Amino acid sequence: MSAQIGRLFAVIVVLFALLVVFTTRWTVIDKSSLDNNSLNRLTLVSQLRIKRGRILASDGTVLAKSVPAGGGTWKRVYPTGSLFSQAVGYSNVLEGSAAGLELSDGSDLRGLQTGLGSIFRQLSPTRTGDDVYTTLDPKAQRVAMQALGSQEGSVVALNPRNGAVLVMYSNPSFDPNRKDPCAANSAGTCFNRATQ
């Protein structure tokens, strides 16, 4: 009888080990493919519930901010329209597309943290991202836009002392407040002449 109990115990231990191995593989090793799976709507819903941080110019002008979209979700708006569209970019969580600072500083804007901070931050009912402060100068950006007029091209101005980007304007530009600003039928272009 004790030999049968021993074999049963061994089978249970093997099954438990297989359960641990496969669960670890799905939740840790293949985490990114699981998160990026188009059938996984949980990731999309969690992204929409984050109040992303603002993107600010050097003088405090708000270049991008989140506004309530109903149902506890948020959407991005760009108060300066196409003036800073190439540098700031856009973020459309529903379409899964982003560009510019919205893409490159996305983890900061979503407030992603590692370590213990990420555990305690999840206890908060509203998740708010961090603000991103830029060195962009709105007055100089308007001067660059006026100087280009309807001519295609780009203007970039850097501070020679520290390399800070003061102006980054490309023409033609695009309206980041549109649902899909880079669609083929939209006015302007998402091609950033200053960086590409």
Side-chain angles (χ1 to χ4, degrees):
M1 181 87 167
S2 64
Q4 291 175 340
I5 292 175
R7 278 185 253 151
L8 180 61
F9 179 73
V11 168
I12 291 174
V13 168
V14 168
L15 291 176
F16 184 74
L18 286 172
L19 177 68
V20 169
V21 167
F22 280 103
T23 304
T24 302
R25 183 179 144 254
W26 288 329
T27 60
V28 177
I29 298 169
D30 291 340
K31 181 184 182 310
S32 62
S33 65
L34 190 61
D35 287 343
N36 296 330
N37 189 328
S38 61
L39 299 174
N40 185 0
R41 306 312 282 171
L42 182 61
T43 304
L44 174 63
V45 171
S46 67
Q47 292 286 326
L48 290 172
R49 294 192 182 276
I50 298 171
K51 181 181 180 185
R52 292 170 65 98
R54 300 173 301 163
I55 298 177
L56 302 157
S58 62
D59 67 352
T61 301
V62 177
L63 307 178
K65 65 181 180 178
S66 292
V67 296
T73 62
W74 299 87
K75 71 175 186 173
R76 292 299 264 180
V77 294
Y78 304 91
T80 59
S82 62
L83 181 62
F84 288 95
S85 62
Q86 299 292 350
V88 172
Y90 67 92
S91 175
N92 188 339
V93 175
L94 288 173
E95 301 294 324
S97 61
L101 290 174
E102 290 280 14
L103 177 62
S104 63
D105 289 342
S107 61
D108 294 325
L109 291 166
R110 289 188 309 270
L112 298 181
Q113 292 183 340
T114 57
L116 289 177
S118 65
I119 295 169
F120 292 117
R121 192 171 213 163
Q122 291 178 9
L123 299 176
S124 171
T126 307
R127 188 161 145 202
T128 304
D130 300 324
D131 291 341
V132 171
Y133 296 88
T134 69
T135 56
L136 294 167
D137 182 352
K139 291 177 185 174
Q141 189 86 352
R142 282 187 193 86
V143 169
M145 181 182 73
Q146 291 167 353
L148 275 177
S150 62
Q151 181 180 345
E152 291 184 3
S154 66
V155 176
V156 177
L158 304 174
N159 183 332
R161 292 189 181 103
N162 58 15
V165 177
L166 304 175
V167 173
M168 182 187 291
Y169 182 77
S170 293
N171 192 42
S173 191
F174 64 92
D175 182 5
N177 290 305
R178 291 179 54 111
K179 182 179 178 184
D180 189 4
C182 294
N185 61 352
S186 65
T189 178
C190 287
F191 181 73
N192 189 343
R193 294 173 186 274
T195 60
Q196 299 177 13

